[in-house]
């Protein structure tokens, strides 16, 4: 069992380059199925989640190979086969691939992805959205069977601005005659990136980034080379870490407006941030102020994927903070591990009250989900003494070589592999 050994209590200094966005690259890989021509995805992040999506498109007969940092995908031959639970279990959000398979093959079969550590992850909005496009959907013993023989464009309203459901419908409409209009679409930057990618393939998607997206179907899409956007959550994680440990770091390869909801709240903790082009410089003293209330919501509000990381930095803040998690019903699992490090956190349903303490101490802790794991790393970097972080396969789903990246900023962090013989 691999683990991270972190000797905390040191400020972070230097500069770091942000990786390409996992949550933009995943739907873009799925969208490669929309064409039989070769696609090159430049600077593709090397992550467990990306590998899981590559496994899925390969399972469908596509070729997908890494060449350096680029991922070359060619879906010349797509075979409609059941995307089984071994595949969907590793990547529950892969449900958005239905739209691209239906666009290309008019038939799709996928095992119900099921829930995960942070919530039930229902797919009702995906199903109702595809049904609005006249896809016939049946659940056959946990396998979702989609028949798109009679698919046609339509206006689709999403009861909730779901990121994945929006992506599913964008891909479902890309090759459909007429206009598919998504009302109450998700507005996340990753949605804009997917629209830009489909348009780079010769598609016609407009309105992405707003609440109404129009997809005018085209007869065929062609290959292209595309570099997805930088990862706004990885960027925010660096900034939250410096706020907790103190130091001065320049975070490069960011889109400032993508992380505005994050930087504005870090400023309220007392960190000093300045934007220079596509870089953000942060200077912090490691004694953040508490935030009276921090609520997660859909973009451009404060992102749920940054909630655990902020909880870690608020654990060592002066004063108490209230965190409200409005997106996922079970996203405070990591807080029990922070309490083992000396944090003072009370959780009730979707609310956590964080009473800042002067210092955390190192401990043996276990990550149970991706962003919760990032929070444990931040806490260990800020804590006095040594921490051992287990469950780092969760962290590797979204952070490329986390120990290399934070070591370059002066952190004392190393990955230890092999079978664990005790803490
Ligand atoms: C995407 O998940 C991201 N994943 C998540 O990031 C992110 O937390 C989430 O959007 C919200 O921003 C990827 O992009 C791969 P949703 P997604 O559909 O698409 C409810 C990470 O850490 N809902 O916007 O699954 C759902 O229960 C991951 O990188 C329904 O009720 O998110 C949740 O409460 C974690 N019915 C809310 O919507 C549905 O059919 C947000 O879900 C679908 C969703």
């Amino acid at each position: 069992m691999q683990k991270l050994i972190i000797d905390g209590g040191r400020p972070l200094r230097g500069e770091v380059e942000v990786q390409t966005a996992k949550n933009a690259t995943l739907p873009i890989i799925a969208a490669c199925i929309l064409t039989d021509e070769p696609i090159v995805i430049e600077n593709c992040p090397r992550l467990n989640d990306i590998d899981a999506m590559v496994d899925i498109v390969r399972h469908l007969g596509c070729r997908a190979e890494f060449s350096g940092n680029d991922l070359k995908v060619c879906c010349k031959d797509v075979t409609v086969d059941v995307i089984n639970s071994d595949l969907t279990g590793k990547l529950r959000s892969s449900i958005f691939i239905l739209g691209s398979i239906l666009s290309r093959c008019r038939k799709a079969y996928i095992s119900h992805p099921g829930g995960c550590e942070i919530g039930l992850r229902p797919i009702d909005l995906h199903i109702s959205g595809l049904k609005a496009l006249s896809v016939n959907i049946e659940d056959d013993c946990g396998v979702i069977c989609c028949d798109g023989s009679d698919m046609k464009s339509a206006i689709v309203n999403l009861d909730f601005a779901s990121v994945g459901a929006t992506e599913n419908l964008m891909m479902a409409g890309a090759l459909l005659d007429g206009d598919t209009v998504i009302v109450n679409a998700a507005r996340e930057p990753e949605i804009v990136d997917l629209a830009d990618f489909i348009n780079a393939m010769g598609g016609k998607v407009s309105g992405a980034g707003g609440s109404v997206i129009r997809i005018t179907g085209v007869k065929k899409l062609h290959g292209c080379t595309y570099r997805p956007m930088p990862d706004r959550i990885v960027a925010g994680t660096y900034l939250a870490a410096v706020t907790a440990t103190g130091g001065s770091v320049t975070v490069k390869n960011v889109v400032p407006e993508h992380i505005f909801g994050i930087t504005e709240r870090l400023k309220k903790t007392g960190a000093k941030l300045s934007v220079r082009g596509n870089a953000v410089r942060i200077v912090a003293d490691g004694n953040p102020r508490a935030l009276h209330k921090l609520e997660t919501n859909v973009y451009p509000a404060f992102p749920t994927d940054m909630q655990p990381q902020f909880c870690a930095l608020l654990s060592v803040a002066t004063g108490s903070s209230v965190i409200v998690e409005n997106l996922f019903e079970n996203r405070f699992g990591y807080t029990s591990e922070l309490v083992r490090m000396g944090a003072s956190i009370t959780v009730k349903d979707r609310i956590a009250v964080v009473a800042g303490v002067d210092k955390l101490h190192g401990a043996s802790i276990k990550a149970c989900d991706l962003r919760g794991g990032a929070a444990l790393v931040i806490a260990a970097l800020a804590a006095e003494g040594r921490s051992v972080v287990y469950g780092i396969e969760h962290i590797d789903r979204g952070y490329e070589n986390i120990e290399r990246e934070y070591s370059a900023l002066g952190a004392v962090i190393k990955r230890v592999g092999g079978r664990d013989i005790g803490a």
Side-chain angles (χ1 to χ4, degrees), residues 60-356:
L60 296 171
C62 303
R63 286 206 323 277
E65 303 303 335
F66 281 98
S67 170
N69 286 340
D70 296 344
L71 175 63
K72 296 181 177 177
V73 184
C74 185
C75 301
K76 186 170 172 41
D77 308 304
V78 178
T79 52
V80 179
D81 193 358
V82 175
I83 301 174
N84 58 46
S85 53
D86 290 344
L87 294 165
T88 57
K90 287 183 194 149
L91 189 64
R92 290 167 185 86
S93 47
S94 55
I95 189 77
F96 55 50
I97 199 166
L98 282 177
S100 63
I101 306 171
L102 284 165
S103 270
R104 184 76 185 274
C105 310
R106 293 293 193 271
K107 291 236 189 292
Y109 306 94
I110 189 168
S111 291
H112 196 297
C116 68
E117 307 82 6
I118 62 175
L120 288 172
R121 310 300 290 273
I123 59 170
D124 56 305
L125 297 173
H126 295 255
I127 300 303
S128 58
L130 292 172
K131 283 182 174 175
L133 300 183
S134 304
V135 178
N136 181 26
I137 300 178
E138 291 178 5
D139 187 326
D140 179 4
C141 303
V143 175
I144 299 159
C145 305
C146 303
D147 177 354
S149 326
D150 302 324
M151 267 176 97
K152 46 182 169 300
S153 53
I155 299 177
V156 187
N157 177 69
L158 289 175
D159 287 344
F160 175 81
S162 156
V163 171
T166 300
E167 291 163 345
N168 227 334
L169 293 167
M170 288 166 72
M171 292 187 264
L175 296 170
L176 263 188
D177 289 341
D179 283 8
T180 295
V181 180
I182 307 169
V183 178
N184 194 29
R187 296 186 286 162
E188 275 69 5
E190 292 77 10
I191 300 293
V192 178
D193 219 26
L194 177 60
D196 290 348
F197 175 69
I198 294 172
N199 290 338
M201 296 163 80
K204 286 183 185 161
V205 182
S206 59
S211 295
V212 179
I213 300 178
R214 180 179 299 271
I215 306 102
T216 302
V218 295
K219 290 286 178 225
K220 191 177 182 317
L221 292 168
H222 55 70
C224 69
T225 294
Y226 191 82
R227 176 176 289 236
M229 60 179 256
D231 195 309
R232 59 193 173 100
I233 304 303
V234 168
T237 304
Y238 286 123
L239 296 172
V242 180
T243 305
T245 63
S248 54
V249 169
T250 298
V251 179
K252 301 191 294 182
N253 190 32
V254 301
V255 178
E257 60 268 29
H258 288 177
I259 57 173
F260 192 69
I262 298 167
T263 52
E264 285 308 290
R265 287 170 176 89
L266 290 176
K267 286 177 183 173
K268 287 182 179 171
T269 72
K272 303 285 183 260
L273 292 100
S274 56
V275 173
R276 295 181 189 135
N278 68 347
V280 173
R281 179 156 180 73
I282 182 169
V283 178
D285 60 10
N287 299 301
R289 294 194 295 267
L291 293 176
H292 174 63
K293 188 159 85 164
L294 183 66
E295 280 211 64
T296 68
N297 219 315
V298 297
Y299 191 88
F302 180 75
T304 176
D305 291 350
M306 281 299 304
Q307 177 260 97
Q309 299 92 311
F310 264 65
C311 185
L313 80 87
L314 293 171
S315 297
V316 292
T318 305
S320 289
S321 308
V322 174
I323 301 177
V324 182
E325 172 53 64
N326 288 311
L327 274 291
F328 291 104
E329 68 273 22
N330 187 31
R331 200 164 201 176
F332 286 120
Y334 63 91
T335 55
S336 56
E337 301 301 285
L338 294 182
V339 168
R340 289 161 57 84
M341 301 177 77
S344 174
I345 304 171
T346 307
V347 173
K348 177 86 170 106
D349 299 332
R350 292 183 182 230
I351 295 176
V353 178
V354 186

Side-chain angles (χ1 to χ4, degrees), residues 375-397:
L376 299 189
V377 170
I378 289 175
L381 291 170
E384 279 180 340
R386 174 162 290 190
S387 296
V388 181
V389 184
Y390 294 91
I392 59 177
E393 66 278 6
H394 292 287
I395 301 171
D396 291 339
R397 285 183 46 215

